[in-house]
Amino acid sequence: QVQLVESGGGLVQAGSSLRLSCVASGRTFSTFGMGWFRQAPGKEREFVAAISTGGGSTFYADSVKGRFTISRDNAKRTVYLQMNRLKPEDTAVYYCGVQVTGWAYRQAERYDYWGQGTQVTVSS
């Protein structure tokens, strides 16, 4: 019912920036909250950031506060993750997800749909 496609990942040096994009299709984009999660090898999927349906509320993991910014453009059916001052520990596959019902934004298991992920690698 919802398809998500992430893009914007890459290999960058510490201190640089990337902007990830996630384009949604299949349902009315503005009716659900969205989040960004990341998963490093051997680790569980970790909450990064989330944004409410209208974009009025945003939430961040402590590890990225002050460096990452989540935003959405409902007209373009897209959610963004601007990542600044990247660190090697940010290296992971980044996934966007949608939570159609409820708003347990930090819990990966509550999200209903996921994209394929985009790799972010930050070198020292």
Side-chain angles (χ1 to χ4, degrees):
Q1 293 184 352
V2 176
Q3 295 80 44
L4 304 170
V5 180
E6 302 99 332
S7 62
L11 173 62
V12 298
Q13 292 184 321
S16 61
S17 298
L18 284 172
R19 189 180 75 161
L20 306 183
S21 299
C22 176
V23 180
S25 62
R27 289 187 63 176
T28 303
F29 179 74
S30 61
T31 62
F32 46 75
M34 300 191 67
W36 285 98
F37 288 71
R38 65 190 183 187
Q39 189 165 20
K43 296 185 177 181
E44 296 182 350
R45 190 164 296 192
E46 174 190 22
F47 169 76
V48 176
I51 189 165
S52 60
T53 55
S57 298
T58 57
F59 309 89
Y60 299 93
D62 289 343
S63 59
V64 306
K65 285 181 179 178
R67 298 188 298 120
F68 291 10
T69 302
I70 188 171
S71 61
R72 66 191 296 161
D73 185 336
N74 287 345
K76 295 182 178 180
R77 303 174 64 86
T78 303
V79 63
Y80 304 95
L81 185 68
Q82 178 66 47
M83 305 185 294
N84 297 325
R85 303 189 303 280
L86 283 161
K87 303 175 181 180
E89 51 263 45
D90 295 319
T91 296
V93 177
Y94 283 70
Y95 300 89
C96 65
V98 300
Q99 189 167 134
V100 177
T101 59
W103 193 221
Y105 54 85
R106 293 182 180 271
Q107 302 177 30
E109 65 272 17
R110 296 293 302 276
Y111 283 73
D112 300 287
Y113 303 96
W114 296 96
Q116 297 287 341
T118 185
Q119 176 71 49
V120 173
T121 303
V122 184
S123 62
S124 301

